[in-house]
Amino acid sequence: MLIFSQLTAYYSLYFRKMISIVILGTGNVAQNLFEALHKKDEVKVLAVAGRNTDALNYFSNRTEVFTDWTHLPKADVYLMAIKDDVIHEVSEKLTLDGLLVHTSGAVPMDALSKHSHTGVFYPLQSFTSGKILDFKTIPICVEATSEKDLNLLKYVASTISNTVEHIDSNQRKALHVSAVFTNNFTNYLYGIGKQICEEYTIDFSLLKPLMKETVDKLDVLTPEQAQTGPARRGDRKTLHSHLQLLNDKKHREIYKLLSNAIKAHYGKKL
């Protein structure tokens, strides 16, 4: 089994050239990909294309920028870091010779079916405006229509990330749903916790060590093993007390839904 450094060296010998890249899009994902890729000797970001001229200013001092997507420079890889609902529409308008890939977790690869060389380059992370992340810690999930194109994507991904996985479209959709549960839903619950704290004049930051410890435990325990709380214990008195304290009807409904799900999973009944 090849370790990561050997894998990168293998692909470097396989391609024996600098890989040229054009990024399509100017948002959070595009900016993070650009910052990660443009520093690497193995790849060269030839250009960034986008419809928003103000957003293109972010890139204009370091690479070429285009607003006309029908006259893009020739490249080995075209990375579409654009909104999910326009991926198919935009791809239909492009005429390219290189490998066209999108970066979505939810859109299947066949959304690019007009083109003969297609793939997916999905960084499994949440990107926020104004924050540039270290790509070395971000898993990149790749897929392609041919083994050669897949190897190309693995090589590009390995230059910026320590974790590169070949995952097909169905697996990627499942992974994206899992990410919604573990990231988007939990963040929404953080927001509810913050609202409750504010309602009772409590500093929300008091909860942050608890939040961190919950995540840290997953390095040594499964989520099932790490589960705690009144629903896990079947503590009816505490559950009912919490429900009486909650003034927001929506918060009570969410509390009951999640508590009942936890009780059912662990075989506890009130």
Side-chain angles (χ1 to χ4, degrees):
M1 182 176 183
L2 292 175
I3 62 174
F4 177 77
S5 59
Q6 292 173 323
L7 183 67
T8 305
Y10 169 78
Y11 286 127
S12 181
L13 290 171
Y14 182 84
F15 291 104
R16 294 181 179 275
K17 69 169 186 174
M18 180 182 290
I19 304 301
S20 56
I21 296 174
V22 171
I23 296 175
L24 308 178
T26 57
N28 302 331
V29 177
Q31 290 181 10
N32 272 271
L33 281 171
F34 177 81
E35 294 296 347
L37 290 166
H38 95 282
K39 302 171 185 177
K40 299 300 178 181
D41 294 333
E42 300 91 342
V43 301
K44 180 175 178 59
V45 180
L46 299 180
V48 176
R51 296 190 177 95
N52 188 322
T53 54
D54 290 335
L56 284 171
N57 289 333
Y58 180 90
F59 311 92
S60 59
N61 292 330
R62 292 176 287 174
T63 190
E64 285 193 84
V65 295
F66 291 83
T67 55
D68 183 357
W69 294 31
T70 62
H71 292 83
L72 298 174
K74 185 175 182 180
D76 297 307
V77 180
Y78 296 85
L79 285 173
M80 300 178 69
I82 60 178
K83 293 180 180 179
D84 288 8
D85 57 0
V86 297
I87 287 175
H88 176 71
E89 176 187 349
V90 171
S91 72
E92 291 291 301
K93 297 177 181 178
L94 297 174
T95 302
L96 306 169
D97 293 326
L99 172 59
L100 178 65
V101 303
H102 69 65
T103 58
S104 168
V107 176
M109 184 170 59
D110 61 16
L112 311 176
S113 58
K114 170 189 171 183
H115 303 267
S116 56
H117 296 282
T118 62
V120 178
F121 193 93
Y122 170 49
L124 180 55
Q125 186 52 272
S126 175
F127 296 93
T128 305
S129 177
K131 185 173 183 180
I132 301 301
L133 303 179
D134 178 11
F135 249 88
K136 283 296 181 186
T137 65
I138 299 175
I140 299 179
C141 303
V142 295
E143 182 183 10
T145 50
S146 73
E147 184 177 356
K148 182 178 179 181
D149 290 338
L150 180 63
N151 285 335
L152 175 56
L153 291 183
K154 285 181 178 178
Y155 173 57
V156 173
S158 70
T159 66
I160 61 175
S161 173
N162 289 334
T163 306
V164 181
E165 294 286 342
H166 174 207
I167 292 178
D168 65 32
S169 288
N170 198 48
Q171 290 173 314
R172 181 164 35 82
K173 183 183 290 186
L175 187 62
H176 191 256
V177 172
S178 299
V180 169
F181 273 96
T182 57
N183 178 59
N184 305 122
F185 288 170
T186 54
N187 188 70
Y188 180 77
L189 295 177
Y190 293 157
I192 291 178
K194 184 174 184 293
Q195 291 174 38
I196 296 169
C197 283
E198 290 173 348
E199 183 179 353
Y200 288 90
T201 322
I202 303 167
D203 184 356
F204 175 68
S205 66
L206 292 173
L207 291 170
K208 291 182 179 179
L210 173 63
M211 294 154 62
K212 184 177 184 301
E213 172 62 15
T214 299
V215 174
D216 288 346
K217 281 192 294 190
L218 298 181
D219 288 334
V220 294
L221 300 173
T222 67
E224 288 78 12
Q225 292 169 333
Q227 185 69 53
T228 61
R232 174 67 177 88
R233 299 190 303 270
D235 184 348
R236 296 179 59 178
K237 184 176 180 180
T238 298
L239 290 169
H240 291 159
S241 174
H242 285 176
L243 287 171
Q244 290 175 357
L245 179 136
L246 294 172
N247 296 314
D248 189 300
K249 179 181 177 182
K250 180 174 62 178
H251 294 171
R252 289 197 300 273
E253 290 174 352
I254 292 172
Y255 189 96
K256 286 190 287 186
L257 176 66
L258 292 178
S259 294
N260 285 332
I262 292 170
K263 287 186 295 175
H265 182 75
Y266 290 94
K268 299 287 186 180
K269 297 181 180 180
L270 289 182

